[in-house]
Amino acid sequence: MLAGITLGIGVGFLLAGLGYLKARWATRLLTRLRGRADASVAVVIATRNEESVIENTLRTLLTTAPPGARVLVVDESTDATPEILRRLALEFPTLEVLSDPQVRGKPAALNLALDHVTEDIVLLLDADARVDGAFLAEYTALFANPQVQAVFADFASYNARRSLPVVFQDLFFAFAKTFVFSGLVWRPVFMNCGVFVRREVFRKVGKFDPRTTVDDFDLGIRMAKQGLHAAFVLGRRCQIQYALGLRDLFRQHCRWYTGGIKKMFEEIQRGDLSYVVLMAGVGVVVYFPQMALILGKALSIPFLVTVVLPGAMSALYAAAIFAYLLHRPQSGREVLANVVLGFPAVYLLLQAAIAVSFFRTFTSNHSWYKVRRERA
């Protein structure tokens, strides 16, 4: 057992280091090839009842945005958000507010905004995101390289209340940055907040699927079919809010995984069997303890339980913690919380959310869940 644990820790540290270095190397390569930030950019935001954050988001952006940048907001709100947007539009001429009276959801709202985009680059943001002019300039400069079609910016939480669920999400997202967004283990994926995309990409792959609850994953799949990927860049960070509590966090993850599993089933039905491999790989990683215990018992192979299981879990734990440390934790107290509690809490949440999501894909009700916001 001790040998398995020792080997697992070493493997975990090695994998985390490789993932981080891959993202760092991609960032350095893109930065070397960047030019002047002279491409025009349209910032696209879909809002629904965002009165607690939208003014802070837009004011931070609009007061520092470089010339040529335009902000398009598609609103479907019933709270004070429309009044805030009207007031800001009078103050900032580069803010254009569009109304979607049909209230068709976020993907359809983004499509409506894309119909009005004439700029070279589209930056997709959530309503709670904080970015400024320096952020726009740094990332749009990367598009001076004609090979760059999309980039996904690094991000961090700005939650004022650093509850345990918020702290645990630092661990989860550090792992995602290191192994998922970097493209170390699969084709790179991204979130639709802080991702810059050439307008031409939407002409090639089409706009967002209005039926999906994972608009970013769906877009990434269609981009990959055209050989297009969003490079994850460890530059200036897009500041976002994390889910405030465990209930919000669980429901958010269920929305992600239900939509993601549904999209993978659709791709498998279209003949792309690579998603069978992806689903199987995720299943093995997430449910390996149960699988090892069942197989060890059923096949009478104690080695699976006494050596392989401790080694595999040690590798996963070490990979998660080392990835977290590499992505600059906020405080020593939070490091201690994640080292002791974060990994088991996140792992159990993933197991529960993926199990629930798998069975939800066979139902017809796949609703969009928006987490609560802190007032900014």
Side-chain angles (χ1 to χ4, degrees):
M1 179 181 293
L2 182 59
I5 292 174
T6 303
L7 178 61
I9 291 173
V11 170
F13 278 126
L14 177 62
L15 290 175
L18 288 174
Y20 181 78
L21 288 174
K22 185 177 188 299
R24 182 60 67 188
W25 175 255
T27 301
R28 182 175 298 178
L29 181 61
L30 289 174
T31 302
R32 285 177 179 174
L33 298 175
R34 70 182 175 185
R36 292 180 56 191
D38 54 1
S40 58
V41 58
V43 182
V44 170
I45 303 173
T47 57
R48 181 182 292 182
N49 298 339
E50 299 286 4
E51 63 181 9
S52 61
V53 295
I54 191 60
E55 181 161 6
N56 183 283
T57 295
L58 291 176
R59 193 170 291 280
T60 302
L61 173 61
L62 290 164
T63 55
T64 60
R70 190 164 60 107
V71 180
L72 292 93
V73 177
V74 180
D75 185 51
E76 299 179 341
S77 299
T78 57
D79 63 355
T81 302
E83 178 56 35
I84 296 170
L85 292 174
R86 280 192 292 270
R87 175 165 46 81
L88 290 172
L90 292 174
E91 184 178 351
F92 297 99
T94 54
L95 171 61
E96 181 176 349
V97 180
L98 306 170
S99 178
D100 184 7
Q102 298 182 42
V103 190
R104 296 169 296 170
K106 182 182 177 183
L110 295 176
N111 288 340
L112 178 59
L114 291 175
D115 288 338
H116 291 75
V117 169
T118 57
E119 287 76 9
D120 304 318
I121 311 298
V122 179
L123 166 60
L124 299 166
L125 286 182
D126 285 343
D128 63 307
R130 287 180 181 172
V131 300
D132 58 16
F135 177 90
L136 293 183
E138 177 175 322
Y139 287 97
T140 55
L142 301 177
F143 287 87
N145 177 358
Q147 300 301 315
V148 174
Q149 298 298 310
V151 294
F152 177 35
D154 196 6
F155 58 92
S157 159
Y158 70 85
N159 294 70
R161 183 170 174 264
R162 300 293 296 177
S163 63
L164 280 178
V166 170
V167 172
F168 293 163
Q169 286 169 86
D170 275 342
L171 178 68
F172 170 79
F173 282 120
F175 187 88
K177 292 175 187 180
T178 303
F179 295 99
V180 181
F181 300 144
S182 71
L184 181 67
V185 296
W186 193 256
R187 294 186 290 267
V189 297
F190 53 87
M191 300 191 303
N192 258 0
C193 183
V195 62
F196 293 76
V197 185
R198 285 192 192 273
R199 181 163 56 99
E200 298 171 359
V201 169
F202 292 105
R203 293 177 180 171
K204 293 179 181 177
V205 306
K207 295 186 293 186
F208 294 101
D209 180 356
R211 303 165 299 169
T212 186
T213 59
V214 282
D215 43 284
D216 39 20
F217 187 54
D218 171 67
L219 177 62
I221 288 175
R222 287 183 285 115
M223 286 173 58
K225 291 178 180 179
Q226 299 289 333
L228 306 173
H229 303 284
F232 180 54
V233 178
L234 296 173
R236 289 180 184 268
R237 290 178 166 183
C238 175
Q239 302 293 319
I240 63 175
Q241 286 194 20
Y242 289 170
L244 303 177
L246 285 176
R247 179 176 177 273
D248 270 349
L249 183 59
F250 181 76
R251 294 187 67 178
Q252 182 186 59
H253 278 252
C254 285
R255 191 261 294 175
W256 291 345
Y257 306 144
T258 301
I261 293 170
K262 181 177 174 62
K263 292 304 299 184
M264 287 191 284
F265 275 137
E266 291 175 359
E267 292 303 311
I268 292 169
Q269 290 174 350
R270 295 187 181 106
D272 190 344
L273 299 183
S274 68
Y275 288 95
V276 175
V277 178
L278 177 58
M279 292 178 72
V282 171
V284 169
V285 171
V286 174
Y287 297 107
F288 188 80
Q290 293 89 335
M291 295 172 63
L293 290 171
I294 292 171
L295 289 174
K297 180 77 171 178
L299 301 177
S300 299
I301 307 176
F303 180 78
L304 279 175
V305 177
T306 60
V307 178
V308 177
L309 178 57
M313 295 310 297
S314 298
L316 195 56
Y317 173 83
I321 296 300
F322 191 41
Y324 169 62
L325 295 174
L326 286 170
H327 285 280
R328 308 200 307 266
Q330 292 201 17
S331 71
R333 180 180 297 179
E334 293 189 3
V335 170
L336 180 62
N338 270 323
V339 167
V340 177
L341 299 173
F343 177 79
V346 171
Y347 197 65
L348 290 173
L349 181 139
L350 287 175
Q351 289 192 334
I354 290 176
V356 170
S357 300
F358 181 82
F359 291 104
R360 282 184 60 192
T361 59
F362 300 102
T363 68
S364 58
N365 183 22
H366 302 146
S367 59
W368 187 281
Y369 181 74
K370 183 174 76 70
V371 300
R372 295 170 296 137
R373 311 285 199 199
E374 282 185 345
R375 183 166 294 277

